[in-house]
Amino acid sequence: MILQYRYRRLIKMLRLLKLVFVVLILLGGAVIVYAYVGDLSPTQVNVSAPVALDGG
């Protein structure tokens, strides 16, 4: 009886671990797909500012 309880508990724990592993794989895949498909480049803006140089 006690062995059956421990066995069932072990099976539940392994199922939970398997679920966590699958979710982590899916999240990693989503991040990789977003990195390739999403627009991650920064916007470029021309900046012009006067510069004062000391001529010595």
Side-chain angles (χ1 to χ4, degrees):
M1 185 75 176
I2 293 175
L3 289 176
Q4 287 180 349
Y5 175 72
R6 288 184 180 177
Y7 181 72
R8 288 180 188 167
R9 191 171 164 193
L10 178 65
I11 293 297
K12 287 181 182 179
M13 192 73 81
L14 289 176
R15 284 182 183 169
L16 183 63
L17 187 63
K18 187 173 156 182
L19 177 68
V20 169
F21 184 69
V22 168
V23 168
L24 286 176
I25 296 249
L26 290 175
L27 284 175
V31 168
I32 290 171
V33 168
Y34 181 73
Y36 281 112
V37 175
D39 185 18
L40 298 178
S41 61
T43 58
Q44 296 180 356
V45 178
N46 290 332
V47 177
S48 59
V51 177
L53 299 175
D54 291 332

